[in-house]
Structure formats: C-alpha cells, structure tokens
Amino acid sequence: MRVVYRGLAVAAAVAAAAVAVVVVLPSEPDGVVAGPVTAPPAAQPSSGPSAEASSSASASSSASPSETVTPAAPAAQVTPTPGTSLAPGYTAMEALYADPRVPELTAKVKRMRLPAPSRRVTKDRRSGLAVPKLPKPWKTYGPAPFTTRQVLPRLRGGTVRGMFVTCPLPIMEQKSPRDSALLAARWTLNHHPKGARITWLASQPVRHGWMLVYRVTYGKRSSRAAVVVVDGGMSKPGLAFVTVPDAQRKQWSDIARVASGVRVLG
C-alpha cells in the first residue's frame, strides 16, 4: 500500500507542476489571434531549389483560409462625364477638357470689336459689378436664383427666351480669368436646352477679367451667348451671362453691349 500511495503522490506533484507552468506563461497580446497549430515536418528539408519548392508547398498546404492573401485588383480609371461631379483625382479644368460639349479654345478664335459702354447701368452689389441696363423690349425680372436678371418677352409657343443675369461666380475660381470664364461658359449649358454644345466666336481680356462669346447649338435651333468674368473686389469674381435664342435674333446686338459694358462697381 505504501508503494501505491507513493505513486499517487508522485503523479499529483507532476500535475501540479504542469499547472504552474501554464499559469506563468504570458497570454496572447491584445487583438492577436493565434493561427492553427500544424505538426512540424518529420525531417528538416535539405537546401537547394527542391527544398525551397518543398518549403513553399508546405507553407501553402498549412495556411488557413483566413491567412490566404488575394492580390488586390487594379483600380479602374474613372473618367469625368458631363453634368456630374468631379471624378476622384481630376481637376475642374481636366473635367472641362473631357467634356465633348465644349471645344478647345484655340488662338484661331478672334477678338470682336466692342461698342461704347452704356451709361444706364444696373448695380449688383453682391458681385461688385455695374452692368448695362438693356433697352426695351428687355425688362427687369425677379432675380432669384441670381442677383440681377433682365429678360426678353416670352414668345408664343416658345420654350426659351433671352436672359441677362449677374451673380457671384458659381463655379470654382481658377488661377487665370480666362480659365474661370471657360468653366463659367460650361456651367451656362445648364441654362440651355438639353444636348446643347458650344462653338466659340470671340475671346479676349477685359478690364479686371475675361470675356467669351459663343454659339450654343441644340438640335436645329441655336442661341448666341456670352460670359464676362470680372474681379469686382468681392470674395469671388462676378459673372455676367447673357443668352438670346435665334427666335429673338434681333437682340443679338445686345450681346456686344453686355460684353463691353460690364465693369467694377465704383
């Protein structure tokens, strides 16, 4: 019996020692999950190409699904499209150049002779501009969402009519007034019928800014239009925008009056 008791005591001592070892071992770091345990290879592989292949195969076979690395697919190139917000990584000017509705403004586009500025003006204090007050049949109209607005009478059965408006520049100001005017002209397509496209007629600097005159074509019809971007001393430059449809072509001469008459409010 003494032998039996002695054997039991030895077994108990061994078990207690094992428990003590488990207790003093450090735990896993926070957030780290141990991977599956695999049996070590029976024999250490020899060096050389075959050993590298064997090692690779062993690592591949022992990896768990959670450890499998899938190569990331290359990011698709996104191209800005007309009428949408800027695609990631593109500047406002790159989006302009990608717009098929707006052709390149080349040196072939000439200047136009401008008449003497009108003495009768409308003051836009938000934009810091004084602009021509156009003669009849133009009339002042409710400005919203602009800051000033003049319009031609609506034709019977017509869906568009002449409009002359001012407001702070509604697009991002660029380093040069010419580029700001280009973006403003593109923005004005929102106020023309669907499918409208631009053809440049004139481009030239004006005092404190830039002027563009262009034709807007939509289907079988068209309008003449102009934008004048001028720094009126406010937080953003001011924009003057005029458009007259071909059904009211008698007032196309007023576009030149607008282009020549925009100035800083003094």
Side-chain angles (χ1 to χ4, degrees), residues 118-149:
S118 172
R119 293 183 179 180
R120 300 178 66 238
V121 299
T122 295
K123 297 179 180 180
D124 179 358
R125 301 190 182 280
R126 280 191 60 198
S127 303
L129 302 182
V131 299
K133 186 171 185 180
L134 299 175
K136 292 182 179 181
W138 291 91
K139 62 180 181 179
T140 303
Y141 195 73
F146 309 101
T147 48
T148 73
R149 176 158 52 172

Side-chain angles (χ1 to χ4, degrees), residues 228-246:
V228 186
V229 175
V230 171
D231 184 356
M234 312 303 285
S235 59
K236 297 189 70 175
L239 170 68
F241 161 50
V242 59
T243 180
V244 180
D246 53 9

Side-chain angles (χ1 to χ4, degrees), residues 1-245:
M1 291 296 293
R2 290 182 180 178
V3 174
V4 173
Y5 291 146
R6 187 175 299 170
L8 291 174
V10 171
V14 171
V19 171
V21 171
V22 172
V23 171
V24 299
L25 287 178
S27 61
E28 289 284 340
D30 292 342
V32 176
V33 179
V37 178
T38 58
Q44 195 72 15
S46 60
S47 59
S50 60
E52 294 177 1
S54 174
S55 175
S56 175
S58 175
S60 175
S61 64
S62 64
S64 68
S66 63
E67 295 175 320
T68 303
V69 178
T70 303
Q77 183 71 14
V78 182
T79 302
T81 56
T84 63
S85 59
L86 288 182
Y90 281 85
T91 66
M93 294 305 296
E94 286 172 335
L96 171 76
Y97 298 143
D99 194 334
R101 304 173 302 170
V102 184
E104 181 182 1
L105 182 61
T106 66
K108 294 181 180 180
V109 179
K110 306 297 184 180
R111 296 189 178 200
M112 66 179 294
R113 179 175 296 179
L114 299 177
S118 172
R119 293 183 179 180
R120 300 178 66 238
V121 299
T122 295
K123 297 179 180 180
D124 179 358
R125 301 190 182 280
R126 280 191 60 198
S127 303
L129 302 182
V131 299
K133 186 171 185 180
L134 299 175
K136 292 182 179 181
W138 291 91
K139 62 180 181 179
T140 303
Y141 195 73
F146 309 101
T147 48
T148 73
R149 176 158 52 172
Q150 301 173 56
V151 298
L152 288 172
R154 191 182 299 277
L155 298 178
R156 180 177 298 178
T159 57
V160 294
R161 61 173 168 174
M163 179 177 69
F164 172 34
V165 300
T166 63
C167 61
L169 191 65
I171 47 86
M172 185 183 301
E173 181 183 2
Q174 301 300 297
K175 291 182 179 179
S176 74
R178 175 182 178 274
D179 287 349
S180 294
L182 281 168
L183 288 179
R186 179 179 184 247
W187 172 84
T188 65
L189 292 178
N190 297 326
H191 298 278
H192 287 98
K194 186 177 179 180
R197 302 174 71 95
I198 283 176
T199 302
W200 301 118
L201 300 177
S203 172
Q204 62 204 71
V206 294
R207 188 173 178 83
H208 301 296
W210 200 272
M211 177 205 76
L212 293 170
V213 181
Y214 49 100
R215 179 187 305 112
V216 183
T217 305
Y218 37 91
K220 296 181 179 180
R221 309 308 298 265
S222 67
S223 294
R224 294 284 178 92
V227 291
V228 186
V229 175
V230 171
D231 184 356
M234 312 303 285
S235 59
K236 297 189 70 175
L239 170 68
F241 161 50
V242 59
T243 180
V244 180

